[in-house]
Amino acid sequence: YEDFIYAMRISQNGIVIDTNGIRISPIEGHNPAVVFGRENYLVVWESNNDIYGARVTREGIVLDPNGIIICDEEDEQFYPSCSFDGSNYLIVWEDYRLGWDSDIFGARVSQDGIVLDPLGLPISIITSDQWIPKVSFDGTNYFVVWEDYRNRGISDIYGTRVTVNGNVLDPFGIPIFSDQSEYEEYYPSVTFGESTYIVVWEDWRGWDADIYGARVLLNGQVID
């Protein structure tokens, strides 16, 4: 069987509007993410190791029934995430085009569904793996976070700021949590609230996994 990407709208009162779901992806898809962008939603996902997207109206109409090819570069792309800056979307993902190690790439997409960076933006291409990115917008810049294996092959949490023009402000990354121990941190997520980001992750500094977080200022300074 095949897995497709579906969606449903839910009212502010918690009522499910689309009880049968809305089919978004024309072909098999995995790992969806969604953001709202002024007029329409943008849903992104991976299909056949490439990154696709589709705009969906408030009424649940899929504007791109064949999907938008956001990245179909050589080798594999996984785990997309997306945010909106008021004019364009930024989609980020895990990318293997440069070799055995995975990197973080991204691309901006206009509200009309046009991919503005068809070759992709290299967001983190440091030696060793970077995995599973997430992205949020603070009103001026984006902040992208990911799992990073540059330190002894053990997973830490790193991030970088990216401008609305696609310029990476912290090309070597910001160590959000890197405790130099044998314990690892996984699956970061990020959101912005008024003056700071909060980054959260799965943390194995003990025998069991816990959830930890850290606040990050607009200038990239880690408070916690």
Side-chain angles (χ1 to χ4, degrees), residues 92-94 102-105 123-126 128-135 143-150 155-162 168 170-177 185-190 199-201:
V92 297
W93 62 85
E94 178 183 319
S102 62
D103 298 298
I104 306 302
F105 273 72
I123 292 174
S124 178
I125 55 173
I126 297 297
S128 75
D129 287 312
Q130 294 95 49
W131 288 356
I132 311 179
K134 299 293 182 182
V135 60
F143 195 52
V144 183
V145 299
W146 62 86
E147 294 177 19
D148 195 294
Y149 289 80
R150 73 183 71 184
S155 177
D156 295 316
I157 305 301
Y158 274 70
T160 188
R161 295 165 298 156
V162 180
V168 177
D170 313 289
F172 295 102
I174 299 166
I176 297 169
F177 188 76
E185 297 78 42
Y186 302 109
Y187 303 112
S189 188
V190 59
V199 183
V200 296
W201 61 86

Side-chain angles (χ1 to χ4, degrees), residues 50-193:
D50 295 320
I51 305 300
Y52 284 77
R55 294 166 300 149
V56 182
T57 70
R58 301 170 190 257
E59 294 73 34
I61 298 170
V62 179
L63 297 177
D64 310 291
N66 295 321
I68 301 166
I69 300 174
I70 297 171
C71 181
D72 61 353
E73 287 290 312
E74 187 176 356
D75 293 313
E76 301 171 328
Q77 293 85 37
F78 299 117
Y79 298 111
S81 180
C82 52
S83 191
F84 182 70
D85 65 20
S87 298
N88 298 307
Y89 302 95
L90 177 66
I91 299 88
V92 297
W93 62 85
E94 178 183 319
D95 195 299
Y96 284 83
R97 74 180 71 183
L98 297 181
W100 291 103
D101 295 331
S102 62
D103 298 298
I104 306 302
F105 273 72
R108 295 167 300 149
V109 175
S110 73
Q111 294 180 67
D112 295 325
I114 298 170
V115 179
L116 303 177
D117 308 292
L119 299 179
L121 301 168
I123 292 174
S124 178
I125 55 173
I126 297 297
T127 301
S128 75
D129 287 312
Q130 294 95 49
W131 288 356
I132 311 179
K134 299 293 182 182
V135 60
S136 186
F137 184 68
D138 64 22
T140 301
N141 296 310
Y142 294 98
F143 195 52
V144 183
V145 299
W146 62 86
E147 294 177 19
D148 195 294
Y149 289 80
R150 73 183 71 184
N151 297 316
R152 311 169 322 285
I154 293 175
S155 177
D156 295 316
I157 305 301
Y158 274 70
T160 188
R161 295 165 298 156
V162 180
T163 72
V164 295
N165 295 320
N167 298 316
V168 177
L169 297 178
D170 313 289
F172 295 102
I174 299 166
I176 297 169
F177 188 76
S178 176
D179 66 351
Q180 302 298 310
S181 74
E182 71 274 19
Y183 301 117
E184 299 192 86
E185 297 78 42
Y186 302 109
Y187 303 112
S189 188
V190 59
T191 194
F192 178 74

Side-chain angles (χ1 to χ4, degrees), residues 6-79:
Y6 274 75
M8 60 174 59
R9 294 169 299 151
I10 300 175
S11 75
Q12 295 183 57
N13 297 323
I15 298 172
V16 176
I17 300 171
D18 308 295
T19 54
N20 293 322
I22 303 165
R23 181 168 163 177
I24 306 294
S25 64
I27 59 176
E28 185 173 15
H30 303 277
N31 296 318
V34 61
V35 69
F36 184 70
R38 188 177 294 176
E39 297 294 334
N40 300 307
Y41 299 95
L42 179 69
V43 182
V44 296
W45 67 91
E46 63 186 61
S47 284
N48 297 325
N49 301 327
D50 295 320
I51 305 300
Y52 284 77
R55 294 166 300 149
V56 182
T57 70
R58 301 170 190 257
E59 294 73 34
I61 298 170
V62 179
L63 297 177
D64 310 291
N66 295 321
I68 301 166
I69 300 174
I70 297 171
C71 181
D72 61 353
E73 287 290 312
E74 187 176 356
D75 293 313
E76 301 171 328
Q77 293 85 37
F78 299 117
Y79 298 111

